[in-house]
Amino acid sequence: MSNILATIKKSTICHLTLAISYFTSGLIINVAQCILFICVKPFNVKLYRYLMYYLCYSFYCQLVFIADWWAGCKIKIYISKEDLATCGKEHGLLLMNHFYEVDWLLGWVFCDKIGVLGNCKAYAKKAIQYIPTIGWAWKFAEFVFLERNLQKDREIIGKQIRKILAYPHAVWLLLNAEGTRFTKTKHEASVKFAEERGMTPLQYHLIPRTKGFTVSLPYLKENCPNVYDINLAITDDQVEKATISNLLKGEGVEAHMYVQRYDTKSIPDGEEAAAEWLQELFRHKDRMQQNFHKHGSFFHGLDIAPIEPITFEPRLACLLNTAGWTLTTLSVMLYYLGLLLLSGRLIPFSIGIGLLGLFYWLLNKSISYSKIEKGSSYGSKVSTPINGNSRHEKNHNNGNYVKKDD
């Protein structure tokens, strides 16, 4: 029976079915978001954001379904009882490593378990907001879209964070301080940058860009009590499996996630001090990653009390939501295709079949964009930092290095 189920999960028909459900429901949700934006937000912002939570959850959890129910991914969470008590109850900024193709999705799985998936937001490239379904959904949900131009982004960050922190329910805001996903080329550039400036090179991370963090910090201190350090690790023998393509085929992974909370008010004021705090955090994160890959434990040799991991069962709401969208979209589409075929209207029927092909193309296109080798070239070249060339680690331009064409 298990072999039959594994074969089904690898079938093109199943992948096409998931694609139809995801993209069709995404467009329907986009329309609903647009209606709320026009008819509700100008008169009742609180209601708009409350309803937006459920629309976003309905869309995002279809991807969580792939990891949680379809592929059966397991995540071991290392978090203290005190920190777990705050999760999902209050606003938080997440500082997460960006090493794996599926790290964002595994992060969403955790967010689903603690009830904040619908209010997950992130700093993202401005161009993403123009992508149908996911980009439009993020735009209506008030993500922080950046132009990677410090002068323009200062104003955007302040404005958007104040909006986000006014939400009626807890919001988790993700900041990938490394600026881009880890690749060999980008890591080599990062190491070269660090060595040229007397900094400590990182083995499993890129040197973080601290400007986004330091610019955000004053606004975060107004109404965001938590900063969460999240370290995601997957054993070396599973890294090749940790792709969207493999999850779609039902091939799950076992991941380990260390979560530690910091009181936002405990982070030093001032750009230089806050930047050094973030740099030290990433050096600590890197030591934990080295421990995990060498000794199988985040805590080996560090002055940290070991924590027993906890796991969460998949949520039934995620399964029911995805099943509902799949049955609805697929049955409607098959019904109309059947009517067109029986009526002998071959041209409209051919157009309908073409739409199915389009959905499958969109699925493959989305998967290709998620691949590490297709990632942004941001950070793959070393050039001069924004504010000079200090050789001392505590004055290393706050960790900023940019391409010459940025």
Side-chain angles (χ1 to χ4, degrees), residues 307-324:
I307 301 172
E308 285 298 317
I310 59 175
T311 56
F312 295 90
E313 293 299 318
R315 295 184 68 207
L316 185 60
C318 181
L319 173 63
L320 294 177
N321 175 83
T322 305

Side-chain angles (χ1 to χ4, degrees), residues 158-201:
K159 181 180 178 181
Q160 286 303 111
I161 287 182
R162 281 183 168 147
K163 282 184 180 180
I164 288 170
L165 298 184
Y167 269 53
H169 299 104
V171 172
W172 274 19
L173 176 62
L174 173 65
L175 172 62
N176 283 315
E178 294 163 275
T180 185
R181 185 186 283 135
F182 186 103
T183 67
K184 181 180 179 181
T185 300
K186 294 170 189 175
H187 181 240
E188 290 172 351
S190 177
V191 169
K192 182 178 180 181
F193 171 84
E195 290 175 344
E196 288 176 349
R197 287 157 182 81
M199 298 167 60
T200 302

Side-chain angles (χ1 to χ4, degrees), residues 5-6 8-11 14-15 18 62-75 100-109 232 234 238-255 363 367 370-371:
L5 186 59
I8 291 174
K9 288 181 178 181
K10 288 179 171 63
S11 70
C14 279
H15 299 167
L18 293 170
Q62 294 180 66
L63 295 175
V64 171
F65 165 84
I66 299 295
D68 224 1
W69 287 92
W70 187 261
C73 293
K74 301 296 181 185
I75 307 179
Y100 306 102
E101 185 174 313
V102 297
D103 49 26
W104 60 273
L105 181 52
L106 297 177
W108 274 11
V109 171
L232 180 71
I234 297 173
Q238 292 189 96
V239 169
E240 293 299 322
K241 278 185 63 178
T243 67
I244 299 297
S245 296
N246 286 333
L247 296 190
L248 270 175
K249 296 173 184 175
E251 299 173 6
V253 296
E254 181 178 277
L363 175 65
I367 291 172
S370 74
K371 293 183 182 298

Side-chain angles (χ1 to χ4, degrees), residues 10-46:
K10 288 179 171 63
S11 70
T12 300
I13 296 297
C14 279
H15 299 167
L16 178 59
T17 299
L18 293 170
I20 292 171
S21 172
Y22 177 71
F23 290 110
T24 303
S25 65
L27 290 173
I28 293 171
I29 287 170
N30 288 160
V31 171
Q33 289 177 310
C34 185
I35 292 171
L36 290 178
F37 181 81
I38 295 171
C39 300
V40 176
K41 188 176 182 181
F43 311 103
N44 192 328
V45 175
K46 185 175 181 180

